[in-house]
Amino acid sequence: MLRGVQKRVASLWFFRLSSDRVLRANPVQGPFALTLKQNNANRIYCLNGEAERQGLHSGMPYADARAFCPDLQSQPADLQGDLQFLHILRRWATRYCPWVGLEGRDGLVLDVTGSAHLFGGEPMMLADMRRRLARVGLSVRIGLADTRGAAWALAHYQEGVAARGDTLNAIGTLPVAALRLQEDTSVALQRLGLRRISDLAATSRAPLARRLGPELLMRLDQALGAQPEEISPLADPPRYGVRLTLPEPIGLVSDVRAGVERLLEQLCAKLKAQEVGARRLCLTLDRVDHDSQTVELRLARPLRDPNRILPLFERGIGEVDAGFGIDRMRIEATQVEAQPVQQISHVSAGRVDQVYDLITRIGNRIGLENVHRYLPADSHIPERSSILAPAAYSEPGGAWVALRPRPLRLFPPEPISGAGSRPPQRFRWRRMALSIERATGPERIAPEWWLEDENWRSGVRDYWRVQTRQGWRLWLFYTPQNPGWFVQGEFA
């Protein structure tokens, strides 16, 4: 707080934050509500003005709301999305003052001490806030006072501005719940006949502290300014970028590589200090003709080792058009992931690192999402015994468990002629006449009834491993419910 300047605090309450956020992207005509499951029941979490005018309110069971309002439109609430949106609003509010903090799940608190004059005074500043928020479709109630508690009370119970040094008169007529008390404490005060803040302030403090605890008096003192309450602004996330300005323009690939090497050493030092690794790097090269070249590098694993990252930039640097020369370079880690410090082991991880470096090189040509690996899956169905996953965004699976031998090659079932439940001695497959020398089985596999699969509609399958006299080792199965023989795999 500035010396000699009385503290002023603004509280912004976005009382329809969740519904406003959704309706900004997808406008809806008529009543609309967001629901949240609480105690195994869907309840109204947030609603728009039209739904409120039809008698609905937050906390109301969704079934009752539909009975009162049959044309009510709804969708589930996204609490994480609301929190991210509130963080965006916090960053926006820093245009009015540098000290902005969160106030619960739907509010902001601003320490506007000494900054209101930049907007023409407090009324002009508050009008600017309302105008900008209304323009983007957000409903807000604003309170301004000398203390954080008083500003919160005005925003939630009687929107307005408290004059400097006149906090008690501004909030004295408000209910005691405006002091941010627990619900049971508010009910207890009302039973004692203390319904307003002015009644509470005029009552002896000692009996209240003994009966209702010290939190009641702490909230009262915070609202009236007898006890300080600080605003803790959220720190902006760290930015991982380094810049290099050159005294003379450069154009040789070797010079650009040397500059990138110097920048990577500084950047990786920052990444190591924060225990994170870069997954995406962006190299920007500014030319003397005010044009710029950008080289993006996506990594298969988070890295902060400049000696490993530099060779991966080789292809991108070689394709840069330096024009009349490059006079400024910048590298920024646009996507990072946690990479905590690990205990150094005597076992070398060089081979694993080389594999991921290879994935990075290939992925930057064809896309990291197009480099796949097979992972074991917990299913006895042959087609579902493995899954295909992007190698850059998955870890190698454990040991492949196979209780019975499985063919090296699987293909869609191909019908063959045969009768009976035992493999036919002679059959034709792929225009070849084959005869069985040895058969092992059957291995019965039942379909997974909880999954929809058209290929397993025929029921159970009895699988056989057969060795033909012609040298083919095949995997056959028989379907008892709909008698028929098929070939599905080939052993090595």
Side-chain angles (χ1 to χ4, degrees):
M1 185 177 67
L2 299 177
R3 182 174 297 179
V5 179
Q6 188 173 5
K7 185 175 182 179
R8 297 292 280 175
V9 179
S11 178
L12 278 65
W13 179 35
F14 303 95
F15 55 96
R16 295 193 187 115
L17 177 69
S18 300
S19 60
D20 286 347
R21 180 184 66 85
V22 174
L23 294 177
R24 286 177 70 247
N26 301 298
V28 171
Q29 298 295 331
F32 174 80
L34 295 174
T35 62
L36 188 66
K37 193 169 185 179
Q38 298 175 341
N39 299 326
N40 294 328
N42 278 338
R43 296 184 177 274
I44 300 297
Y45 175 72
C46 188
L47 33 75
N48 65 352
E50 180 63 26
E52 289 181 349
R53 285 189 288 271
Q54 296 201 20
L56 308 185
H57 58 84
S58 299
M60 186 178 188
Y62 178 65
D64 296 347
R66 289 299 303 270
F68 280 101
C69 183
D71 58 342
L72 176 65
Q73 304 178 61
S74 65
Q75 69 180 60
D78 181 9
L79 301 184
Q80 186 62 31
D82 295 342
L83 181 60
Q84 294 176 359
F85 186 60
L86 188 61
H87 279 271
I88 295 174
L89 291 175
R90 185 202 66 82
R91 291 184 59 187
W92 165 83
T94 55
R95 71 185 312 272
Y96 298 101
C97 65
W99 291 79
V100 182
L102 301 184
E103 191 75 88
R105 297 182 301 180
D106 53 7
L108 298 175
V109 55
L110 292 73
D111 188 347
V112 295
T113 305
S115 62
H117 71 281
L118 301 174
F119 301 88
E122 292 178 351
M124 296 293 292
M125 181 183 66
L126 299 183
D128 185 70
M129 291 180 182
R130 292 189 178 94
R131 184 175 62 254
R132 292 178 180 273
L133 291 172
R135 188 164 52 193
V136 296
L138 295 179
S139 304
V140 65
R141 293 176 182 170
I142 306 177
L144 182 65
D146 295 340
T147 64
R148 180 176 179 175
W152 187 93
L154 291 173
H156 285 73
Y157 288 87
Q158 184 179 325
E159 187 177 15
V161 178
R164 297 178 185 272
D166 196 23
T167 302
L168 182 57
N169 290 333
I171 66 173
T173 58
L174 301 182
V176 291
L179 294 176
R180 297 173 293 172
L181 302 176
Q182 300 290 336
E183 184 177 359
D184 54 351
T185 303
S186 300
V187 173
L189 289 173
Q190 295 178 30
R191 289 175 178 174
L192 293 175
L194 303 175
R195 301 181 181 277
R196 303 184 181 276
I197 295 178
S198 56
D199 301 335
L200 183 62
T203 305
S204 300
R205 299 169 62 92
L208 290 176
R210 288 195 301 268
R211 184 164 186 172
L212 299 176
E215 182 184 1
L216 170 62
L217 299 181
M218 179 192 71
R219 288 300 190 185
L220 178 62
D221 292 341
Q222 287 176 345
L224 298 180
Q227 184 170 336
E229 186 178 8
E230 299 299 329
I231 298 174
S232 300
L234 298 180
D236 291 329
R239 296 183 63 88
Y240 303 100
V242 290
R243 189 190 306 270
L244 177 63
T245 302
L246 303 171
E248 294 291 338
I250 61 175
L252 298 177
V253 173
S254 58
D255 294 338
V256 176
R257 186 188 301 112
V260 172
E261 182 179 6
R262 180 180 299 181
L263 290 175
L264 283 175
E265 292 176 355
Q266 302 175 29
L267 177 63
C268 291
K270 289 186 177 182
L271 296 173
K272 185 176 182 181
Q274 297 291 332
E275 294 191 1
V276 296
R279 282 298 296 263
R280 182 177 298 176
L281 294 167
C282 183
L283 170 64
T284 304
L285 305 173
D286 295 332
R287 306 191 316 193
V288 295
D289 58 357
H290 302 292
D291 196 3
S292 63
Q293 299 279 313
T294 301
V295 178
E296 187 180 62
L297 178 65
R298 300 174 63 190
L299 302 171
R301 279 295 181 271
L303 291 180
R304 57 170 180 246
D305 184 358
N307 297 325
R308 288 184 58 192
I309 298 176
L310 181 61
L312 303 176
F313 263 117
E314 293 287 346
R315 176 173 173 268
I317 294 175
E319 297 177 352
V320 169
D321 180 12
F324 294 102
I326 297 170
D327 59 357
R328 189 167 58 179
M329 309 171 63
R330 174 179 172 82
I331 289 185
E332 183 180 6
T334 57
Q335 181 181 351
V336 298
E337 291 183 5
Q339 191 179 19
V341 177
Q342 298 180 353
Q343 178 67 37
I344 298 177
S345 172
H346 66 281
V347 179
S348 175
R351 295 179 62 88
V352 177
D353 294 341
Q354 292 175 5
V355 170
Y356 286 121
D357 291 348
L358 176 61
I359 294 174
T360 298
R361 294 179 185 275
I362 298 175
N364 280 278
R365 290 176 178 267
I366 65 174
L368 284 177
E369 297 81 5
N370 297 323
V371 182
H372 297 143
R373 64 157 53 98
Y374 282 97
L375 298 176
D378 186 14
S379 176
H380 58 271
I381 302 297
E383 299 89 336
R384 296 177 181 160
S385 59
S386 64
I387 58 176
L388 200 61
Y393 305 103
S394 61
E395 295 291 339
W400 291 72
V401 178
L403 301 179
R404 300 286 184 91
R406 289 292 182 259
L408 184 62
R409 293 180 54 207
L410 276 176
F411 40 80
E414 301 175 0
I416 59 174
S417 59
S421 59
R422 297 189 63 83
Q425 292 298 319
R426 293 177 178 82
F427 61 92
R428 293 188 62 85
W429 174 65
R430 294 183 178 178
R431 299 182 180 181
M432 295 183 294
L434 304 177
S435 58
I436 295 179
E437 180 179 356
R438 184 174 62 252
T440 304
E443 176 190 356
R444 173 160 290 187
I445 297 179
E448 296 173 340
W449 56 266
W450 55 91
L451 296 176
E452 290 290 338
D453 192 342
E454 292 293 336
N455 296 325
W456 283 78
R457 291 288 188 181
S458 57
V460 299
R461 297 178 180 178
D462 292 337
Y463 280 89
W464 294 76
R465 288 182 290 120
V466 301
Q467 172 72 51
T468 65
R469 291 187 174 90
Q470 290 76 17
W472 295 91
R473 301 178 65 240
L474 303 176
W475 208 35
L476 281 62
F477 71 84
Y478 173 72
T479 54
Q481 287 84 352
N482 186 16
W485 281 94
F486 302 84
V487 180
Q488 191 180 3
E490 179 184 349
F491 293 90

